[in-house]
Amino acid sequence: MSIEVDVAIIGAGIVGLAIAAEVAQPGKGTCVIEKNHTFGLETSSRNSEVIHAGIYYPEDSLKARFCVEGNRLVYQLCEQYGVAHKRLGKIIVAVNEEEFKELEELYQQGGKNGVEDLRFLSRKELKELEPNVEGTAGILSPSSGVVDSHSLMRIFYGQARERRVDFIFNTEVMGIEKVGKRYRVEIKDREGISSFITGVLINCAGLNSDKIARLAGIDVDRSGYRLHYCKGEYFSLSSRLRQLVGGRLIYPIPELAGTGIHITSSFDGRMRLGPNAIYVAQIDHKVDEAHKVAFYQAVKRYLPPLELEDLEPDFAGIRPKLRGPGEDFRDFVIAREDEKGLPGLINLIGIESPGLTAAPAIARYVASMVRELRY
Ligand SMILES: Cc1cc2nc3c(=O)[nH]c(=O)nc-3n(C[C@H](O)[C@H](O)[C@H](O)COP(=O)(O)OP(=O)(O)OC[C@H]3O[C@@H](n4cnc5c(N)ncnc54)[C@H](O)[C@@H]3O)c2cc1C
């Protein structure tokens, strides 16, 4: 790797990969620094792999905007490059009067966000589509689906490689220093500590993105950049359930910190329940079997034939949340840091769900920011 590059991206999750593919330009040296031995080993491979439609988020938020745009782009990419995916459709179910009101609000919200294909389902219509699902009403989202996220990442990785992006694996960013109009980035690999210079530095470090911002000299508390880890566990479902649910994704009314424990079918037909939402101090991907009963009770409300024996611990992922416990909605942070005296630094912080769906739209947005910079 040369000692000087034009654009450096920290993190090879789906967001860093999509950005690398989008910002690479002939004649500009671009690299991606990743601490693991390959791409996509963290949050990007520990999620529901749902292509969201964009229903849940406040109007005009980045989450809403990039989810709606990303939904369309992800399907396009999947069709163009043969990435495994299924447009399964999703139903959000209300089980009582109180939830019915929330369902109506969600339906309105989806419309405001530009999700044009939503259908409100009466109890009878819900029963016709999903006879084993119990609810007073539902919303059908036909454009929700699932994608093989690793294959999607491989497409971005391949595009970036074709556009001559250098991937530097097994290398961790340890320090950032502003030197004139550029940045000296200190890195650690098997050989020890070294550094390189870049004009543009894009922070896509997922669960570490607040730490990277701090390395650049930003006060994460004053800026509202401090991340809270919020664990989401999954339990796999016995194949018996495949006969009981018509292949659609079935979601409850969302909770404060997540979309609620839902039923997902992966692109290869496996079914699971999850994720729950538990704020944690450490990154630890173990699934606590003691949570099985809570999963069972949460889903039994809308899927009465479910039995406790149908559930087996599966895997967990950690959400990089800006919203702390009990706090209000927080949007993605995707910021040029000129006003903090750090022109050329772009921070992406709190890229939790729908980050997988939104990645190609985020990449376009960041690429347009980069084009405005002089480097
Ligand atoms: C339980 C759960 C369920 C979810 N479900 C969905 C869903 O169904 N649909 C959806 O759209 N989204 C979903 N998401 C969100 C989605 O998974 C994330 O938004 C997305 O994967 C974030 O990608 P990323 O590239 O920002 O982060 P990551 O995948 O975490 O990548 C960051 C990379 O940065 C690297 N890195 C960190 N620090 C350093 C350093 N100092 N030096 C070098 N490299 C570093 C890491 O090793 C990592 O590879 C879910 C998330 C969770 C946790």
Side-chain angles (χ1 to χ4, degrees), residues 11 13 15 34-36 44 47-48 50 173 208 234 351-352 355 357:
V15 174
E34 168 55 55
K35 65 180 167 57
N36 294 321
S44 296
N47 57 65
S48 306
V50 171
V173 170
N208 282 342
Y234 292 85
I351 312 298
E352 54 165 333
T357 311

Side-chain angles (χ1 to χ4, degrees), residues 204-278:
C204 303
L207 294 164
N208 282 342
S209 52
D210 59 343
K211 296 188 182 71
I212 295 291
R214 194 182 307 124
L215 289 182
I218 292 175
D219 181 329
V220 292
D221 290 313
R222 269 181 49 194
S223 309
Y225 286 1
R226 183 174 292 281
L227 285 176
H228 306 270
Y229 296 154
C230 183
K231 188 169 179 174
E233 297 167 311
Y234 292 85
F235 282 76
S236 61
L237 277 182
S238 64
S239 53
R240 176 184 91 83
L241 269 294
R242 275 191 217 178
Q243 273 75 56
L244 298 179
V245 184
R248 292 183 187 84
L249 308 164
I250 313 287
Y251 278 60
I253 294 293
E255 306 163 345
L256 272 182
T259 45
I261 297 175
H262 49 262
I263 308 170
T264 63
S265 297
S266 65
F267 56 91
D268 57 7
R270 278 173 300 142
M271 290 177 71
R272 49 176 75 95
L273 300 183
N276 55 357
I278 303 170

